[in-house]
């Protein structure tokens, strides 16, 4: 594997999880693989988990790591071609990318949807320029449409906790005060469609995701009905995708917050969220603090997912 931008690039998901569990059991087994190799992590957006877990994964593989926060200390970057650069942006991405590529062996990029143009976001214009112009393998640390390292960690976590072969997994929209990208729900849906789990997506009318990601999931607009018998509840907010509402907030309805009453409808389900999470908007204190909450082991598995992916990329060098 050279580039990693979608969970689909892992191929068979069961084999990928088996590799991940091997990495988890023996985290320092591949220290030689990354020797004298440098990972550059480029962040256009904030991060806690991705930053720390990917760095830790690279260190476990014996790599050196450089981190660049583009918005803190680097030159302001122009991303559109053909612009007369007489404004506040000092450097063009078309020079910055190959320069960054010349300093490393592998590049991780975080570049969220900007909600300025649906087409630009869904064409992954920033991530694809890194792939095209860096000359190095590139992996996504959450791009405009997907967050595959998160999805891989989510699936590893479900596999570790499921008590039946085909658990019922429910991804539910929940309210949030700011517009958030569809990357996490798109990617989670893409990943769960690679498994044979029962998969239900629930959200208010207007929050339909791109059909490409929904795949074979059942979409249920009644959250209570969707949650019935669930084994895993995966909560996430996202802004509208469809039509002219792209990037807009259509609801702040806190009856969608995952509460004890909502969890009582499930089959004593585990609660999952990628974090960061806004308490008492997405999920109540009680639910996130309950013994059925997997948010911490789920975040911890981000090291395992990043290390498994980085290992495959290093093997391809
Ligand atoms: C981001 C999002 O929803 O895509 C990152 C999640 C991993 N969340 C926020 O910006 C709060
Ligand atoms: N879940 C996740 O990617 O968290 P960060 O945004 O903190 O990296």
């Amino acid at each position: 594997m050279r580039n990693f931008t979608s969970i689909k690039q892992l191929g068979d998901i069961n084999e990928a999880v088996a590799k991940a569990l091997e990495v988890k059991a023996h985290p320092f087994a591949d220290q030689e693989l990354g020797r004298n190799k440098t990972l550059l992590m480029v962040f256009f957006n904030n991060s806690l988990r991705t930053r720390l877990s990917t760095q830790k994964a690279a260190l476990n593989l014996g790599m050196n790591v450089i981190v660049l926060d583009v918005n803190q200390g680097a030159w302001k970057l122009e991303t559109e071609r053909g612009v007369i650069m007489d404004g506040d942006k000092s450097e063009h991405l078309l020079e910055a990318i190959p320069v960054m590529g010349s300093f490393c062996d592998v590049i991780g990029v975080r570049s969220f949807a900007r909600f300025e143009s649906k087409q630009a976001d869904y064409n992954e214009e920033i991530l694809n320029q890194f792939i095209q112009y860096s000359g190095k393998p590139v992996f996504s640390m959450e791009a405009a449409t997907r967050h595959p390292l998160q999805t891989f960690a989510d699936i590893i976590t479900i596999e570790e906790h499921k008590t039946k072969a085909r658990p019922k997994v429910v991804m539910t929209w929940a309210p949030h005060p700011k517009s958030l990208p569809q990357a996490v729900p798109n990617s989670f849906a893409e990943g769960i469609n690679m498994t044979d789990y029962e998969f239900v997506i629930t959200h208010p009318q207007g929050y339909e995701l791109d059909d490409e990601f929904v795949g074979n999931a059942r979409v249920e607009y009644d959250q209570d009905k969707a949650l019935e018998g669930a084994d895993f509840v995966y909560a996430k907010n996202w802004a509208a995708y469809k039509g002219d509402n792209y990037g807009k907030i259509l609801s702040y309805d806190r009856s969608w917050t995952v509460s004890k009453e909502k969890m009582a409808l499930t089959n004593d389900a585990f609660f999952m969220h990628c974090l960061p999470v806004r308490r008492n908007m997405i999920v109540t204190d009680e639910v996130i603090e309950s013994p059925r909450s997997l948010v911490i082991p789920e975040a911890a598995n981000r090291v395992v997912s990043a290390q498994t992916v980085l290992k495959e990329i290093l093997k391809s060098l």
Side-chain angles (χ1 to χ4, degrees):
M1 187 168 60
R2 183 171 166 88
N3 300 310
F4 179 68
T5 60
S6 155
I7 184 86
K8 282 187 174 169
Q9 289 154 338
L10 291 178
D12 183 277
I13 194 69
N14 295 318
E15 282 172 27
V17 169
K19 281 185 188 166
L21 295 177
E22 192 63 29
V23 162
K24 187 167 182 168
H26 307 286
F28 307 115
D30 301 294
Q31 284 257 313
E32 278 305 305
L33 202 55
R35 213 163 107 93
N36 294 333
K37 297 281 188 284
T38 299
L39 167 66
L40 170 63
M41 302 200 287
V42 181
F43 288 93
F44 288 84
N45 314 91
N46 296 339
S47 168
L48 186 153
R49 276 143 292 274
T50 304
R51 174 187 302 266
L52 298 179
S53 63
T54 311
Q55 181 156 1
K56 173 67 175 144
L59 295 174
N60 286 354
L61 290 164
M63 299 183 83
N64 301 310
V65 183
I66 312 175
V67 183
L68 178 68
D69 289 296
V70 172
N71 300 319
Q72 284 164 29
W75 301 106
K76 236 179 164 197
L77 292 176
E78 177 59 62
T79 57
E80 297 299 314
R81 199 172 167 279
V83 170
I84 297 169
M85 288 174 57
D86 61 355
D88 62 340
K89 292 173 181 161
S90 309
E91 177 156 26
H92 203 286
L93 202 56
L94 288 170
E95 282 76 55
I97 290 175
V99 169
M100 291 189 256
S102 74
F103 300 146
C104 64
D105 301 284
V106 182
I107 307 186
V109 180
R110 167 163 283 202
S111 173
F112 290 177
R114 295 197 274 191
F115 290 142
E116 286 162 12
S117 151
K118 184 175 187 170
Q119 200 188 332
D121 289 343
Y122 272 70
N123 285 340
E124 290 288 5
E125 285 186 355
I126 304 292
L127 185 67
N128 282 330
Q129 290 189 71
F130 273 87
I131 292 172
Q132 201 175 345
Y133 300 117
S134 70
K136 297 292 153 72
V138 172
F139 65 94
S140 165
M141 300 195 299
E142 184 174 342
T145 63
R146 293 173 177 85
H147 191 1
L149 288 175
Q150 180 65 48
T151 305
F152 191 21
D154 296 335
I155 292 175
I156 295 165
T157 309
I158 294 173
E159 284 295 307
E160 286 176 324
H161 289 86
K162 72 178 191 186
T163 54
K164 54 172 87 134
R166 243 187 119 236
K168 177 175 175 182
V169 175
V170 179
M171 179 169 82
T172 181
W173 179 93
H176 189 276
K178 292 186 173 166
S179 281
L180 295 183
Q182 294 98 28
V184 171
N186 281 347
S187 198
F188 185 74
E190 187 166 59
I192 299 302
N193 272 301
M194 291 166 70
T195 72
D196 60 0
Y197 307 158
E198 182 184 349
F199 185 31
V200 179
I201 302 176
T202 183
H203 52 70
Q205 294 276 354
Y207 278 98
E208 292 78 13
L209 296 166
D210 189 343
D211 294 339
E212 181 194 338
F213 297 106
V214 173
N216 296 321
R218 179 162 74 83
V219 177
E220 168 61 67
Y221 294 99
D222 180 334
Q223 190 194 36
D224 288 1
K225 242 192 223 170
L227 292 172
E228 267 170 32
D231 299 299
F232 292 87
V233 174
Y234 191 91
K236 185 71 184 84
N237 172 268
W238 62 89
Y241 165 74
K242 286 264 155 100
D244 292 342
N245 283 331
Y246 181 66
K248 292 200 180 122
I249 297 177
L250 310 178
S251 169
Y252 295 97
D253 184 356
R254 283 180 39 226
S255 73
W256 282 77
T257 300
V258 180
S259 62
K260 203 173 102 189
E261 292 70 30
K262 295 282 180 183
M263 292 302 280
L265 301 168
T266 70
N267 178 31
D268 195 20
F270 287 108
F271 174 81
M272 299 179 72
H273 189 280
C274 63
L275 306 181
V277 74
R278 292 195 184 226
R279 284 180 174 220
N280 304 309
M281 288 295 298
I282 303 282
V283 58
T284 62
D285 291 310
E286 246 175 350
V287 171
I288 198 167
E289 291 170 4
S290 82
R292 303 302 280 174
S293 170
L294 293 180
V295 296
I296 307 303
E298 182 183 357
N301 274 336
R302 290 292 307 277
V303 176
V304 183
S305 84
Q307 192 172 333
T308 308
V309 167
L310 264 174
K311 182 177 161 181
E312 291 303 312
I313 294 173
L314 286 172
K315 285 202 293 190
S316 79
L317 289 182

